[in-house]
Amino acid sequence: MSSSSEQPGNEPPSVRWHDMVKFVRQLSHDIRNNLNAVELQSAYLAELAEETEMKNEIQRLREMVSEVGANLQGLTAGLSQVSRTPISYPAADFIEDLKQKLAKDFADNAAKVTWDMQLKDATLQIDPQLAQQAFLELFSNAFQHERNIKTISAKAYLDKDRFVFELREPKVRFELSTENWGREPLRNVSQGHYGLGLNRARSITEAHGGNFRAEYDQKTSTLVTTLTLPSFPAEKR
């Protein structure tokens, strides 16, 4: 006689990715509606409060509510389908804008990046905001998992009709498989991180006709993440 653990009725339900995304979006929407109500009530309490200390505490509460709402927005954005509006964008300008954004968003780590740019006058056909999200995710992932890292190498160059971007991260120990890099959302989940970033970066890259991959070089103990996009001569802008 088979044990109860082997009975079909005890198997977890199989949920389609589309249905899971729909559920998370709706749940996020409902929670944010409740957060908006809390925000309105907090604003009302701030008007009634007379003591400075009480006003400060209410302000901190409003900031916490706002942060939760922003995190929910980020979660739903990570699950959403990529819808791009491409424009012609000089590759060198894109990298310079990326550097500035990196310095702003990762002020404590941006100086660790060494750049090697060999782009000449190539042009990309990209949605700049989406493309920048994909590139920033690579740096965010590197900074998150290697907090004591001293140097990260970023190289951008042209290979025939392709724009190639390589990010090299020193990693003394690396035991993960890179075969499905960026293709396994929700696999690695921790507090504040839901395993969606690299999958989002891959989706954005492929939506632009590009490729996304990672390889670990055991000889140099380096994780090399490569992102490629179609490039065009300047006269085709």
Side-chain angles (χ1 to χ4, degrees):
M1 181 176 181
S2 61
S3 63
S4 59
S5 61
E6 297 176 346
Q7 295 177 6
N10 289 334
E11 295 180 359
S14 177
V15 180
R16 295 185 306 167
W17 177 257
H18 172 77
D19 292 335
M20 190 277 292
V21 171
K22 183 178 179 181
F23 161 73
V24 173
R25 285 180 179 172
Q26 185 61 53
L27 178 62
S28 174
H29 176 76
D30 293 343
I31 294 176
R32 285 164 57 194
N33 280 344
N34 291 333
L35 291 175
N36 289 338
V38 174
E39 166 62 22
L40 291 175
Q41 192 69 19
S42 299
Y44 177 64
L45 290 175
E47 293 178 359
L48 296 178
E50 297 181 356
E51 297 180 3
T52 300
E53 184 177 355
M54 180 61 72
K55 288 181 178 292
N56 291 338
E57 290 299 325
I58 293 174
Q59 179 59 33
R60 277 193 283 269
L61 174 62
R62 297 178 69 181
E63 291 173 354
M64 292 168 62
V65 170
S66 177
E67 183 178 356
V68 173
N71 289 339
L72 286 172
Q73 282 187 313
L75 175 61
T76 54
L79 292 169
S80 63
Q81 290 187 336
V82 177
S83 178
R84 66 189 186 98
T85 305
I87 62 173
S88 295
Y89 212 106
D93 291 352
F94 175 74
I95 292 297
E96 287 303 315
D97 291 343
L98 176 64
K99 289 182 182 180
Q100 294 181 21
K101 183 66 172 175
L102 191 70
K104 179 180 179 181
D105 291 359
F106 301 94
D108 295 336
N109 291 296
K112 299 178 180 179
V113 182
T114 60
W115 297 86
D116 181 6
M117 302 295 105
Q118 304 173 24
L119 296 174
K120 298 181 181 179
D121 58 356
T123 297
L124 305 174
Q125 291 288 334
I126 57 174
D127 183 314
Q129 184 175 3
L130 278 177
Q132 191 175 88
Q133 288 178 17
F135 282 75
L136 287 174
E137 178 57 36
L138 303 186
F139 289 100
S140 176
N141 189 67
F143 297 147
Q144 174 191 342
H145 293 290
E146 297 290 339
R147 298 185 184 277
N148 297 322
I149 197 170
K150 295 182 178 180
T151 303
I152 295 178
S153 300
K155 181 178 181 180
Y157 61 95
L158 302 177
D159 182 11
K160 298 180 181 179
D161 59 348
R162 306 293 290 182
F163 164 90
V164 183
F165 179 84
E166 294 180 354
L167 190 68
R168 295 177 174 268
E169 310 167 46
K171 288 184 179 292
V172 177
R173 296 183 60 184
F174 186 81
E175 300 175 351
L176 299 177
S177 171
T178 58
E179 183 178 357
N180 293 313
W181 200 252
R183 294 183 180 275
E184 299 175 311
L186 307 179
R187 185 176 181 85
N188 297 309
V189 177
S190 60
Q191 183 177 0
H193 303 280
Y194 310 108
L196 295 171
L198 291 179
N199 180 72
R200 180 68 173 174
R202 179 193 61 78
S203 297
I204 291 173
T205 302
E206 292 181 352
H208 284 84
N211 295 302
F212 181 88
R213 68 179 187 275
E215 297 178 346
Y216 183 67
D217 187 338
Q218 294 184 346
K219 292 182 179 179
T220 61
S221 298
T222 304
L223 177 65
V224 183
T225 305
T226 305
L227 190 158
T228 68
L229 295 170
S231 65
F232 308 90
E235 60 269 23
K236 292 187 178 182
R237 279 190 260 171

